[in-house]
């Protein structure tokens, strides 16, 4: 069952979750959509150019649910360079067009464990492991089930 974070995260909650994902996941992904290139910022293009060497085959992964026609996922290895870039982002909603690709997600064993839908300010846990449940409790992160049983 998937769970939705129902409040905005404060900086401590964000940093705690991010630290968990960066230390326990092997990959991350972002999305692009059909948009005029002239509308995109240089930072958007630079992301894809600077980290192309870390790109993985998305067909090897269980990706987050697609929600829009033309949406394309790009999966990358988490390494010291990509982690540093991700750590420089202020929060999960910083991954937003036209400055950056959208919908940051994290993968453990090629399965998405956390995903975002940036333009909707949605943050989703795909599974509540013991470790994630402890973080949610310790950081007082409010969640609710996203899927109907």
């Amino acid at each position: 069952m998937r769970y939705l974070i129902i409040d905005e995260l404060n900086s401590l909650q964000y940093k705690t979750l991010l630290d968990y994902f960066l230390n326990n996941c092997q990959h991350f992904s972002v999305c692009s959509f059909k948009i005029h290139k002239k509308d995109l910022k240089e930072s958007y293009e630079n992301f894809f150019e600077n980290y192309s060497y870390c790109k993985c085959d998305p067909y090897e992964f269980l990706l987050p649910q697609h929600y829009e026609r033309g949406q394309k996922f790009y999966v990358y290895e988490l390494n010291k360079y990509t982690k540093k870039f991700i750590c420089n982002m202020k929060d999960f909603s910083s991954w937003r067009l036209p400055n950056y690709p959208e919908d940051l997600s994290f993968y453990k064993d090629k399965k998405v464990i956390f995903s975002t839908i940036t333009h909707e300010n949605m943050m989703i846990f795909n599974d509540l492991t013991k470790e994630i449940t402890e973080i949610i409790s310790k950081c007082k992160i409010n969640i609710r089930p996203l899927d109907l049983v």
Side-chain angles (χ1 to χ4, degrees):
M1 177 178 287
R2 298 180 308 157
Y3 291 85
L4 178 69
I5 296 176
I6 57 175
D7 297 320
E8 285 191 37
L9 297 176
N10 64 40
S11 62
L12 178 61
Q13 292 168 326
Y14 168 70
K15 288 179 179 165
T16 304
L17 281 175
L18 186 61
D19 184 59
Y20 173 81
F21 298 136
L22 294 179
N23 289 308
N24 291 281
C25 295
Q26 304 87 17
H27 300 90
F28 73 100
S29 70
V30 291
C31 287
S32 70
F33 300 88
K34 292 188 178 191
I35 185 171
H36 293 292
K37 278 197 173 268
K38 67 177 177 58
D39 295 331
L40 298 172
K41 303 287 186 196
E42 186 177 349
S43 54
Y44 178 94
E45 299 295 338
N46 287 345
F47 172 83
F48 287 107
E49 288 175 23
N50 293 342
Y51 300 105
S52 63
Y53 71 96
C54 303
K55 203 182 227 185
C56 303
D57 182 356
Y59 293 105
E60 294 180 8
F61 294 81
L62 289 173
L63 300 171
Q65 184 175 349
H66 287 63
Y67 58 84
E68 188 171 306
R69 186 178 296 248
Q71 181 179 13
K72 185 172 180 182
F73 286 91
Y74 299 88
V75 179
Y76 296 89
E77 172 191 343
L78 274 171
N79 60 37
K80 67 180 183 178
Y81 304 108
T82 55
K83 287 178 182 182
K84 182 178 178 182
F85 183 86
I86 292 168
C87 284
N88 286 329
M89 301 300 266
K90 185 180 101 180
D91 54 28
F92 293 122
S93 64
S94 296
W95 295 87
R96 187 179 300 271
L97 292 170
N99 296 313
Y100 297 101
E102 293 201 354
D103 302 348
L104 178 67
S105 299
F106 291 97
Y107 299 78
K108 187 172 184 176
D109 302 323
K110 298 193 175 188
K111 295 177 186 166
V112 66
I113 64 166
F114 180 81
S115 60
T116 63
I117 302 176
T118 308
H119 70 276
E120 297 287 347
N121 291 323
M122 293 176 70
M123 296 167 280
I124 302 163
F125 294 104
N126 277 33
D127 190 22
L128 293 183
T129 63
K130 179 182 176 196
E131 296 91 355
I132 290 175
T133 303
E134 288 171 1
I135 291 170
I136 288 169
S137 177
K138 181 181 104 181
C139 293
K140 296 179 175 45
I141 298 171
N142 293 317
I143 61 171
R144 70 165 174 81
L146 182 61
D147 303 313
L148 298 175
V149 180

